[in-house]
Amino acid sequence: MLSKEDQRRFEQITRQLRESDPRFFARLDHRAQARRGRYLMLLTVVLWASLPAMTVLAGRLAGAVCAVVLLANAALMWRYRRRWL
């Protein structure tokens, strides 16, 4: 954790850098979005792979819960859609 003075100084440096080099912050934002996309894709693969096993081993209720989570994940992926390459 940073002290209050260090945090204030860090925010000042960040603000100054954002004003002087906006392309740098655009690249950082793009990297954060790409990371989110990878996590959503990984969650999708894991859920689809586990859905049949969950349904057989834990019953229909667990399969239904997994299916609902997959639908929510699909909605998030649609919301943040980009090229997933």
Side-chain angles (χ1 to χ4, degrees), residues 11-66:
E11 288 173 3
Q12 181 182 13
I13 292 170
T14 305
R15 190 177 328 112
Q16 184 179 14
L17 183 59
R18 181 177 288 133
E19 292 169 357
S20 66
D21 193 3
R23 290 187 323 175
F24 173 74
F25 276 90
R27 286 193 315 263
L28 284 180
D29 186 45
H30 178 69
R31 288 183 65 193
Q33 289 175 356
R35 189 175 309 121
R36 180 181 342 149
R38 284 193 300 266
Y39 289 145
L40 286 174
M41 189 60 72
L42 177 64
L43 178 63
T44 302
V45 170
V46 169
L47 286 173
W48 275 113
S50 65
L51 179 61
M54 284 182 66
T55 304
V56 170
L57 297 175
R60 290 183 181 186
L61 180 62
V65 169
C66 188

